[in-house]
């Protein structure tokens, strides 16, 4: 143009191929038809140009990242109005840019959560933290409610005003899963509570049935024992033994059901006491000798002489396992033998692994029944129950008791070829001195004669039975119908040598009475031996009764030999 200055930016190229960015400013000095003259300057702006280009490129990349990132970014002014939001956020909520930028943030909040969101933002002004985070509900343009994890920071704009920088992450699926898990947990908790209630009801039912069945059984078995001790006529002995056998079978049935309930509810804990295994097994064999002789079968005992006589374990439960197996072996064997074998298969570092094996030449068990016979109320064949009787709980209890010893029971059998059960149990060798064995078969000695015994029992039949036993041993017996009367008698006469204490009684039960005795101001009364007599085998087991202050316990119906033994040991 004539007489017009200009400014251009261009490349200035050099012979070596390099170039610079230059700003050229020119002013015309003369103008002719085909000739233009200028005065001008070249200024090197390469550095500034490159910086501007890099900044522009960075801004474009940031904008691209800001808009396309699958996370919602937006800024609010201090009053909660949206200053900016990335493209992902605009698309996510379903609005256009004009429909959301410049509007109050409550537009995208679930109505009930809008106040909570603004309160959180207000707290950020006074918080010492750089940011605050919360979970909150928002709403899309379509009305769909979503959950987001919102992270907010407080910053200052270039004009010095407060600006909230907010990042939102969709956690709807996480919240739904969390709620689902919480619901499942609540359902499981409810199911667990119902199961526990059912187990408690089952335990309470077993406890009540135990008391209600054992109490009359105590009278039947007790009176039978008393009649047998009263020199009956020869023609009466068979009838009394039959009566005793029937009553003891009924008691065995009750014990099986109670043991099964206790094991199912996890109430069985193994004791750790010193006992003589070879002698215990020998006594067990002797106790079954009469039944074996009656059936005309031979019962053999094989005991490894290397087995230590002092082992640490639970003799009651070991005896129960062996009793179940030996009893079954004799029951299902008509001709031949029953072998009881115990042998040490490993000894090291003060411990011994013992193999228990019960073999018979009985009816046998078919291969397909080897596992199912351990199921509750199950027997090998449908006619077994009709022919031989039984609950089908014996092997179930045996299997569970063996498992409590961290072991497994195995079976080797076939139909018509006899049966062998075997299992291994680890024992620690004990060095505790065992008490001398007392012969309790002869009641004619004077170990109890003249001893003053207080019998606390509300049931007249149980009173009669226990009193007759004690009288035969020449003990001096006094009775009390409940704990209150017992305490009155103890306060007026503290010369009792021992107390036999029933647990369930009206007015004042056995546990409350025992605690009152143990806390009595008279020291001589505090230490008096107390044996609990209980028909409830579920709740008031030995461990609990010992904690309540008893010295020992005996469950009804009791064997007179066991009562005699416990009295002797405590006196």
């Amino acid at each position: 143009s004539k007489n017009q200055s200009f400014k251009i930016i261009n490349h200035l190229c050099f012979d070596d191929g390099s170039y610079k960015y230059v700003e050229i400013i020119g002013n015309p000095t003369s103008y002719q038809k085909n000739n233009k003259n200028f005065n001008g300057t070249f200024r090197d702006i390469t550095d500034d140009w490159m910086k501007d280009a890099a900044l522009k490129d960075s801004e474009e990349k940031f904008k691209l990242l800001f808009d396309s990132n699958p996370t919602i970014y937006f800024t609010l002014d201090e009053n909660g109005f949206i200053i900016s939001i990335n493209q992902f956020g605009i698309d996510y909520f379903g609005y256009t840019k004009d429909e959301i930028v410049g509007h109050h943030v409550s537009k995208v909040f679930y109505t009930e959560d809008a106040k909570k969101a603004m309160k959180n933002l207000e707290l950020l002004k006074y918080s010492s933290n750089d940011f605050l985070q919360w979970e909150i509900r928002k709403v899309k343009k379509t009305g769909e409610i979503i959950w987001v994890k919102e992270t907010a920071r407080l910053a200052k704009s270039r004009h010095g005003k407060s600006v909230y920088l907010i990042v939102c992450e969709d956690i709807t699926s996480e919240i739904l899963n969390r709620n689902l898990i919480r619901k499942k947990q609540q359902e499981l908790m409810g199911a667990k509570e119902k199961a526990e209630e059912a187990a408690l009801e089952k335990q309470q039912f077993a406890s009540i049935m135990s008391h209600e069945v054992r109490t009359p059984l105590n009278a039947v078995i007790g009176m039978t024992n008393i009649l047998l001790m009263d020199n009956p006529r020869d023609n009466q002995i068979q009838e009394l033994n039959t009566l005793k056998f029937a009553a003891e079978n009924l008691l065995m049935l009750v014990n099986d059901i109670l043991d099964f309930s206790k094991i199912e509810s996890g109430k069985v804990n193994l004791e750790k006491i010193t006992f003589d295994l070879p002698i215990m097994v020998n006594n067990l064999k002797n106790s079954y000798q009469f039944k074996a002789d009656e059936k005309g079968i031979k019962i053999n005992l094989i005991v490894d002489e290397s087995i230590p006589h002092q082992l640490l374990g639970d003799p009651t439960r070991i005896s129960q396992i062996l009793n179940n197996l030996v009893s079954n072996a004799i029951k299902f064997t008509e001709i031949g033998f029953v072998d009881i074998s115990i042998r040490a298969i490993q000894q090291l570092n003060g411990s011994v692994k013992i193999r228990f094996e019960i073999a018979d030449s009985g009816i046998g068990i078919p291969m397909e029944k080897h596992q199912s016979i351990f199921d509750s109320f199950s027997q090998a064949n449908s006619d077994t129950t009709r022919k031989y009787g039984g609950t089908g709980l014996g092997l179930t209890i045996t299997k569970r008791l063996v498992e409590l010893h961290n072991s497994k029971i195995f079976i080797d059998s076939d139909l018509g070829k006899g049966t062998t059960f075997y299992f291994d149990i680890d024992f620690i060798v004990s060095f505790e001195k065992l008490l001398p064995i007392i012969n309790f078969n002869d009641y004619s000695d004077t170990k109890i004669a003249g001893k003053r015994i207080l019998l606390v029992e509300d049931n007249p039949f149980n009173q009669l039975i226990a009193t007759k036993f004690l009288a035969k041993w020449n003990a001096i017996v006094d009775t009390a119908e409940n704990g209150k009367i017992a305490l009155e008698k103890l306060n007026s006469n503290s010369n009792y040598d021992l107390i036999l204490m029933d647990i369930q009684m009206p007015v004042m039960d056995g546990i409350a009475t025992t605690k009152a005795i143990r806390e009595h101001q008279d020291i001589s009364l505090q230490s008096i031996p107390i044996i609990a007599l209980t028909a409830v085998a579920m709740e008031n087991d030995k461990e609990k009764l010992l904690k309540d202050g008893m010295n020992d316990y005996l469950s009804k119906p009791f064997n007179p030999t066991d009562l005699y033994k416990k009295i002797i040991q405590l006196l």
Side-chain angles (χ1 to χ4, degrees):
S1 301
K2 291 181 180 179
N3 302 317
Q4 187 173 351
S5 299
F6 65 86
K7 179 171 74 171
I8 61 173
I9 295 172
N10 213 326
H11 297 90
L12 185 66
C13 300
F14 296 90
D15 289 341
D16 62 1
S18 62
Y19 62 89
K20 298 272 187 184
Y21 283 99
V22 292
E23 179 186 70
I24 307 169
I25 299 174
N27 296 299
T29 55
S30 63
Y31 180 82
Q32 295 179 5
K33 186 176 181 180
N34 294 314
N35 189 18
K36 299 175 183 177
N37 296 317
F38 294 89
N39 271 333
T41 59
F42 288 70
R43 186 168 68 88
D44 185 348
I45 60 167
T46 303
D47 289 344
D48 292 339
W49 179 270
M50 295 299 288
K51 286 177 183 178
D52 287 344
L55 180 60
K56 186 177 180 181
D57 183 57
S58 176
E59 286 176 346
E60 287 177 353
K61 286 180 179 178
F62 177 76
K63 188 175 186 304
L64 180 64
L65 180 65
F66 181 73
D67 283 337
S68 62
N69 194 298
T71 304
I72 304 166
Y73 297 96
F74 61 92
T75 58
L76 304 177
D77 66 16
E78 57 187 2
N79 295 315
F81 286 88
I82 299 172
I83 299 170
S84 66
I85 182 170
N86 66 334
Q87 190 60 45
F88 178 81
I90 294 170
D91 296 338
Y92 185 83
F93 286 112
Y95 293 99
T96 64
K97 186 174 183 179
D98 291 340
E99 287 176 327
I100 196 166
V101 174
H103 292 265
H104 197 270
V105 72
S106 60
K107 184 171 186 174
V108 293
F109 273 115
Y110 184 62
T111 307
E112 294 177 11
D113 290 2
K115 289 183 179 179
K116 175 185 173 184
M118 295 311 298
K119 186 177 180 181
N120 289 339
L121 292 174
E122 191 67 23
L123 287 172
L124 191 58
K125 292 180 180 179
Y126 308 103
S127 173
S128 58
N129 296 327
D130 293 334
F131 66 92
L132 289 179
Q133 195 173 71
W134 52 82
E135 294 176 355
I136 204 161
R137 288 172 291 183
K138 291 184 180 290
V139 182
K140 293 184 178 182
K141 186 177 180 179
T142 58
E144 180 188 350
I145 299 169
I146 57 167
W147 278 92
V148 298
K149 182 188 289 181
E150 202 161 68
T151 305
R153 294 177 184 272
L154 187 62
K156 293 289 182 182
S157 71
R158 57 185 175 180
H159 304 296
K161 292 184 177 181
S162 295
V163 177
Y164 295 107
L165 309 176
I166 298 174
V167 179
C168 293
E169 178 189 354
D170 189 331
I171 57 168
T172 306
S173 59
E174 181 185 330
I175 292 291
L176 291 174
N177 288 335
R178 196 187 302 169
N179 290 340
L180 183 62
I181 291 169
R182 189 181 295 118
K183 183 181 177 182
K184 289 290 184 185
Q185 287 174 336
Q186 289 171 348
E187 289 174 355
L188 286 172
M189 189 64 68
K192 179 175 177 287
E193 288 173 358
K194 286 182 180 178
E196 287 173 348
E197 287 173 7
L200 182 60
E201 287 175 3
K202 180 180 175 183
Q203 186 178 344
Q204 288 172 341
F205 173 76
S207 174
I208 293 168
M209 290 306 297
S210 169
H211 183 270
E212 294 303 317
V213 175
R214 283 173 181 270
T215 298
L217 265 180
N218 185 51
V220 174
I221 294 175
M223 289 305 295
T224 306
N225 282 320
I226 289 169
L227 290 171
L228 284 167
M229 292 165 64
D230 272 343
N231 299 317
R233 298 191 308 271
D234 291 342
N235 66 325
Q236 293 174 327
I237 293 175
Q238 185 176 357
E239 284 91 347
L240 289 172
N241 279 327
T242 302
L243 178 62
K244 184 180 179 183
F245 179 78
E248 286 177 345
N249 271 352
L250 181 56
L251 177 61
M252 193 181 298
L253 169 64
V254 173
N255 286 340
D256 277 352
I257 294 170
L258 292 174
D259 271 337
F260 179 71
S261 296
K262 286 172 73 174
I263 292 169
E264 286 290 288
S265 60
K267 298 293 183 181
V268 175
N269 295 313
L270 297 179
E271 282 188 311
K272 292 288 184 183
I273 60 175
T274 299
F275 73 106
D276 191 321
L277 178 62
I279 288 181
M280 185 193 83
V281 177
N282 187 65
N283 290 339
L284 181 138
K285 183 255 182 184
N286 290 336
S287 69
Y288 282 101
Q289 188 66 58
F290 177 75
K291 283 186 179 180
D293 291 344
E294 253 189 346
K295 295 189 74 173
I297 60 177
K298 191 173 182 181
I299 184 166
N300 305 306
L301 176 62
I302 305 100
V303 178
D304 187 343
E305 291 184 0
S306 69
I307 293 176
H309 277 263
Q310 291 170 217
L311 298 175
L312 202 61
D314 191 330
T316 302
R317 294 305 178 184
I318 296 295
S319 179
Q320 187 177 1
I321 293 169
L322 295 176
N323 268 305
N324 281 340
L325 294 175
V326 174
S327 175
N328 273 358
I330 292 174
K331 181 196 294 186
F332 298 117
T333 301
E334 300 298 336
I335 301 171
F337 65 87
V338 171
D339 288 343
I340 307 167
S341 168
I342 60 168
R343 55 191 173 89
I345 59 174
Q346 187 181 54
Q347 293 195 54
L348 48 89
N349 299 328
S351 67
V352 57
K353 183 187 288 290
I354 294 177
R355 167 72 53 87
F356 295 83
E357 193 172 286
I358 310 298
D360 65 62
S361 58
I363 61 175
I365 302 166
M367 290 287 294
E368 64 272 15
K369 297 288 186 178
H370 282 193
Q371 293 305 315
S372 63
I373 58 164
F374 292 106
D375 295 340
S376 307
F377 308 104
S378 174
Q379 292 192 339
N381 294 299
S382 58
D383 63 343
T384 302
T385 303
R386 292 192 297 271
K387 185 174 181 181
Y388 295 99
T391 61
L393 283 175
L395 286 178
T396 305
I397 293 168
T398 298
K399 179 175 180 285
R400 302 286 177 86
L401 290 177
V402 170
E403 289 171 349
L404 279 175
H405 286 85
N406 298 315
S407 183
K408 290 183 177 180
I409 187 167
F410 299 93
I411 179 174
D412 182 11
S413 181
D414 207 349
L415 196 62
K417 296 181 180 180
T419 303
T420 300
F421 288 98
Y422 61 95
F423 57 93
D424 304 333
I425 292 181
D426 292 309
F427 294 96
I428 295 172
V429 179
S430 174
F431 298 98
E432 181 184 344
K433 188 176 180 181
L434 287 166
L435 293 172
I437 297 170
I438 305 169
N439 180 14
F440 297 102
N441 295 322
D442 183 9
Y443 303 127
S444 61
D445 56 36
T446 58
K447 291 185 177 71
I448 300 180
K451 299 295 182 182
R452 293 181 58 83
I453 295 176
L454 177 61
L455 173 63
V456 189
E457 169 67 69
D458 66 308
N459 186 288
F461 289 110
N462 292 340
Q463 268 193 18
L464 175 64
I465 291 163
T467 302
K468 280 187 172 290
F469 285 141
L470 295 168
K472 282 187 173 293
W473 303 329
N474 296 316
I476 301 168
V477 186
D478 195 5
T479 59
E481 289 75 30
N482 58 59
K484 184 174 180 293
I485 296 172
L487 288 175
E488 290 170 358
K489 291 197 172 190
L490 287 166
N491 287 328
S492 61
N493 181 6
S494 60
N495 294 325
Y496 294 106
D497 297 295
L498 182 135
I499 300 174
L500 296 177
M501 183 76 71
D502 185 29
I503 299 303
Q504 287 193 345
M505 294 182 292
V507 184
M508 189 174 189
D509 64 30
I511 292 173
T513 308
T514 300
K515 287 180 178 178
I517 293 170
R518 296 303 180 220
E519 296 168 2
H520 203 281
Q521 58 186 7
D522 187 335
I523 297 174
S524 63
L525 281 180
Q526 289 179 14
S527 58
I528 189 169
I530 302 176
I531 299 176
L533 299 178
T534 174
V536 183
M538 290 296 292
E539 294 174 334
N540 301 296
D541 57 10
K542 185 175 182 180
E543 185 179 347
K544 183 180 184 303
L545 291 169
L546 292 178
K547 285 180 181 178
D548 289 331
M550 312 289 183
N551 297 90
D552 208 337
Y553 95 122
L554 198 60
S555 59
K556 303 173 190 174
F558 54 81
N559 187 309
T561 302
D562 293 332
L563 177 62
Y564 185 80
K565 177 180 177 180
K566 289 181 183 294
I567 293 174
I568 292 295
Q569 287 176 335
L570 286 173
L571 292 180

